[in-house]
mmCIF file of all heavy atoms in Angstrom:
data_model
loop_
_atom_site.group_PDB
_atom_site.id
_atom_site.type_symbol
_atom_site.label_atom_id
_atom_site.label_comp_id
_atom_site.label_asym_id
_atom_site.label_seq_id
_atom_site.Cartn_x
_atom_site.Cartn_y
_atom_site.Cartn_z
ATOM 1 N N ILE A 179 -28.569 9.902 -21.013
ATOM 2 C CA ILE A 179 -29.857 10.161 -20.386
ATOM 3 C C ILE A 179 -30.943 9.351 -21.177
ATOM 4 O O ILE A 179 -31.884 8.701 -20.501
ATOM 5 C CB ILE A 179 -30.202 11.651 -20.443
ATOM 6 C CG1 ILE A 179 -29.304 12.388 -19.450
ATOM 7 C CG2 ILE A 179 -31.649 11.965 -20.089
ATOM 8 C CD1 ILE A 179 -29.310 13.918 -19.608
ATOM 9 N N GLY A 180 -30.826 9.360 -22.478
ATOM 10 C CA GLY A 180 -31.830 8.599 -23.339
ATOM 11 C C GLY A 180 -31.789 7.135 -23.210
ATOM 12 O O GLY A 180 -32.638 6.446 -23.716
ATOM 13 N N LYS A 181 -30.727 6.619 -22.561
ATOM 14 C CA LYS A 181 -30.627 5.149 -22.447
ATOM 15 C C LYS A 181 -31.043 4.611 -21.016
ATOM 16 O O LYS A 181 -30.934 3.545 -20.757
ATOM 17 C CB LYS A 181 -29.247 4.678 -22.807
ATOM 18 C CG LYS A 181 -28.886 4.876 -24.293
ATOM 19 C CD LYS A 181 -27.615 4.237 -24.700
ATOM 20 C CE LYS A 181 -26.402 4.969 -24.172
ATOM 21 N NZ LYS A 181 -25.150 4.461 -24.650
ATOM 22 N N ARG A 182 -31.483 5.594 -20.123
ATOM 23 C CA ARG A 182 -31.791 5.152 -18.860
ATOM 24 C C ARG A 182 -33.079 4.348 -18.733
ATOM 25 O O ARG A 182 -33.118 3.299 -18.072
ATOM 26 C CB ARG A 182 -31.958 6.379 -17.954
ATOM 27 C CG ARG A 182 -30.689 6.863 -17.227
ATOM 28 C CD ARG A 182 -31.000 8.059 -16.365
ATOM 29 N NE ARG A 182 -31.659 7.677 -15.066
ATOM 30 C CZ ARG A 182 -31.170 7.268 -13.964
ATOM 31 N NH1 ARG A 182 -29.756 7.081 -13.978
ATOM 32 N NH2 ARG A 182 -31.824 6.898 -12.967
ATOM 33 N N ASN A 183 -34.092 4.799 -19.369
ATOM 34 C CA ASN A 183 -35.411 4.154 -19.393
ATOM 35 C C ASN A 183 -36.284 4.605 -20.567
ATOM 36 O O ASN A 183 -35.932 5.624 -21.244
ATOM 37 C CB ASN A 183 -36.129 4.296 -17.987
ATOM 38 C CG ASN A 183 -36.404 5.751 -17.735
ATOM 39 O OD1 ASN A 183 -36.895 6.527 -18.581
ATOM 40 N ND2 ASN A 183 -36.041 6.200 -16.532
ATOM 41 N N PRO A 184 -37.425 3.950 -20.857
ATOM 42 C CA PRO A 184 -38.194 4.289 -21.954
ATOM 43 C C PRO A 184 -38.768 5.713 -21.981
ATOM 44 O O PRO A 184 -38.763 6.352 -22.918
ATOM 45 C CB PRO A 184 -39.474 3.318 -21.925
ATOM 46 C CG PRO A 184 -38.779 2.104 -21.298
ATOM 47 C CD PRO A 184 -37.933 2.629 -20.281
ATOM 48 N N ALA A 185 -39.100 6.152 -20.741
ATOM 49 C CA ALA A 185 -39.654 7.631 -20.675
ATOM 50 C C ALA A 185 -38.548 8.593 -21.065
ATOM 51 O O ALA A 185 -38.839 9.535 -21.799
ATOM 52 C CB ALA A 185 -40.232 7.800 -19.271
ATOM 53 N N LEU A 186 -37.398 8.442 -20.436
ATOM 54 C CA LEU A 186 -36.394 9.362 -20.770
ATOM 55 C C LEU A 186 -35.894 9.231 -22.175
ATOM 56 O O LEU A 186 -35.412 10.203 -22.794
ATOM 57 C CB LEU A 186 -35.191 9.131 -19.721
ATOM 58 C CG LEU A 186 -35.433 9.805 -18.382
ATOM 59 C CD1 LEU A 186 -34.233 9.411 -17.376
ATOM 60 C CD2 LEU A 186 -35.605 11.348 -18.484
ATOM 61 N N ASN A 187 -35.941 8.009 -22.709
ATOM 62 C CA ASN A 187 -35.656 7.830 -24.097
ATOM 63 C C ASN A 187 -36.498 8.718 -25.038
ATOM 64 O O ASN A 187 -36.053 9.406 -25.949
ATOM 65 C CB ASN A 187 -35.748 6.310 -24.462
ATOM 66 C CG ASN A 187 -35.363 6.060 -25.935
ATOM 67 O OD1 ASN A 187 -36.236 5.937 -26.819
ATOM 68 N ND2 ASN A 187 -34.087 5.977 -26.242
ATOM 69 N N ARG A 188 -37.792 8.767 -24.761
ATOM 70 C CA ARG A 188 -38.677 9.467 -25.513
ATOM 71 C C ARG A 188 -38.311 10.933 -25.364
ATOM 72 O O ARG A 188 -38.335 11.753 -26.396
ATOM 73 C CB ARG A 188 -40.138 9.181 -25.081
ATOM 74 C CG ARG A 188 -40.680 7.775 -25.540
ATOM 75 C CD ARG A 188 -42.139 7.715 -25.370
ATOM 76 N NE ARG A 188 -42.505 7.739 -23.950
ATOM 77 C CZ ARG A 188 -42.520 6.678 -23.154
ATOM 78 N NH1 ARG A 188 -42.196 5.383 -23.637
ATOM 79 N NH2 ARG A 188 -42.981 6.740 -21.911
ATOM 80 N N ARG A 189 -38.026 11.411 -24.102
ATOM 81 C CA ARG A 189 -37.725 12.763 -23.889
ATOM 82 C C ARG A 189 -36.440 13.186 -24.612
ATOM 83 O O ARG A 189 -36.330 14.317 -25.133
ATOM 84 C CB ARG A 189 -37.723 13.098 -22.414
ATOM 85 C CG ARG A 189 -38.973 12.900 -21.620
ATOM 86 C CD ARG A 189 -40.082 13.925 -22.030
ATOM 87 N NE ARG A 189 -39.701 15.315 -21.608
ATOM 88 C CZ ARG A 189 -40.161 15.804 -20.462
ATOM 89 N NH1 ARG A 189 -40.932 15.148 -19.584
ATOM 90 N NH2 ARG A 189 -39.875 17.089 -20.110
ATOM 91 N N ALA A 190 -35.484 12.340 -24.562
ATOM 92 C CA ALA A 190 -34.172 12.712 -25.165
ATOM 93 C C ALA A 190 -34.262 12.675 -26.675
ATOM 94 O O ALA A 190 -33.707 13.596 -27.314
ATOM 95 C CB ALA A 190 -33.210 11.625 -24.740
ATOM 96 N N ILE A 191 -35.108 11.847 -27.284
ATOM 97 C CA ILE A 191 -35.318 11.885 -28.701
ATOM 98 C C ILE A 191 -36.051 13.168 -29.065
ATOM 99 O O ILE A 191 -35.720 13.811 -30.066
ATOM 100 C CB ILE A 191 -36.195 10.594 -29.082
ATOM 101 C CG1 ILE A 191 -35.329 9.411 -29.052
ATOM 102 C CG2 ILE A 191 -36.712 10.838 -30.540
ATOM 103 C CD1 ILE A 191 -36.047 8.022 -29.296
ATOM 104 N N GLN A 192 -36.975 13.625 -28.352
ATOM 105 C CA GLN A 192 -37.703 14.852 -28.597
ATOM 106 C C GLN A 192 -36.727 16.044 -28.523
ATOM 107 O O GLN A 192 -36.644 16.937 -29.346
ATOM 108 C CB GLN A 192 -38.818 15.083 -27.505
ATOM 109 C CG GLN A 192 -40.023 14.134 -27.739
ATOM 110 C CD GLN A 192 -41.046 14.292 -26.567
ATOM 111 O OE1 GLN A 192 -40.843 15.071 -25.614
ATOM 112 N NE2 GLN A 192 -42.054 13.456 -26.605
ATOM 113 N N THR A 193 -35.831 15.958 -27.519
ATOM 114 C CA THR A 193 -34.832 17.054 -27.419
ATOM 115 C C THR A 193 -33.883 17.061 -28.577
ATOM 116 O O THR A 193 -33.573 18.051 -29.181
ATOM 117 C CB THR A 193 -33.990 16.898 -26.042
ATOM 118 O OG1 THR A 193 -34.900 16.899 -24.979
ATOM 119 C CG2 THR A 193 -32.963 17.905 -25.938
ATOM 120 N N ALA A 194 -33.432 15.849 -28.910
ATOM 121 C CA ALA A 194 -32.493 15.720 -30.109
ATOM 122 C C ALA A 194 -33.156 16.240 -31.381
ATOM 123 O O ALA A 194 -32.476 17.025 -32.135
ATOM 124 C CB ALA A 194 -32.099 14.335 -30.311
ATOM 125 N N LYS A 195 -34.480 16.022 -31.587
ATOM 126 C CA LYS A 195 -35.092 16.558 -32.784
ATOM 127 C C LYS A 195 -35.194 18.101 -32.767
ATOM 128 O O LYS A 195 -34.959 18.742 -33.735
ATOM 129 C CB LYS A 195 -36.501 15.933 -32.910
ATOM 130 C CG LYS A 195 -36.464 14.446 -33.290
ATOM 131 C CD LYS A 195 -37.889 13.891 -33.415
ATOM 132 C CE LYS A 195 -37.890 12.367 -33.805
ATOM 133 N NZ LYS A 195 -39.202 11.797 -33.877
ATOM 134 N N ALA A 196 -35.409 18.600 -31.528
ATOM 135 C CA ALA A 196 -35.499 20.045 -31.397
ATOM 136 C C ALA A 196 -34.079 20.666 -31.611
ATOM 137 O O ALA A 196 -34.000 21.686 -32.272
ATOM 138 C CB ALA A 196 -35.966 20.451 -30.019
ATOM 139 N N VAL A 197 -33.108 19.976 -31.162
ATOM 140 C CA VAL A 197 -31.650 20.457 -31.426
ATOM 141 C C VAL A 197 -31.347 20.378 -32.840
ATOM 142 O O VAL A 197 -30.756 21.346 -33.416
ATOM 143 C CB VAL A 197 -30.711 19.603 -30.595
ATOM 144 C CG1 VAL A 197 -29.332 19.794 -30.977
ATOM 145 C CG2 VAL A 197 -30.906 19.807 -29.107
#
Side-chain angles (χ1 to χ4, degrees):
I179 292 169
K181 291 188 289 185
R182 273 183 71 88
N183 60 49
L186 283 174
N187 179 261
R188 291 190 292 272
R189 295 293 291 264
I191 289 173
Q192 290 172 0
T193 300
K195 289 178 177 178
V197 167

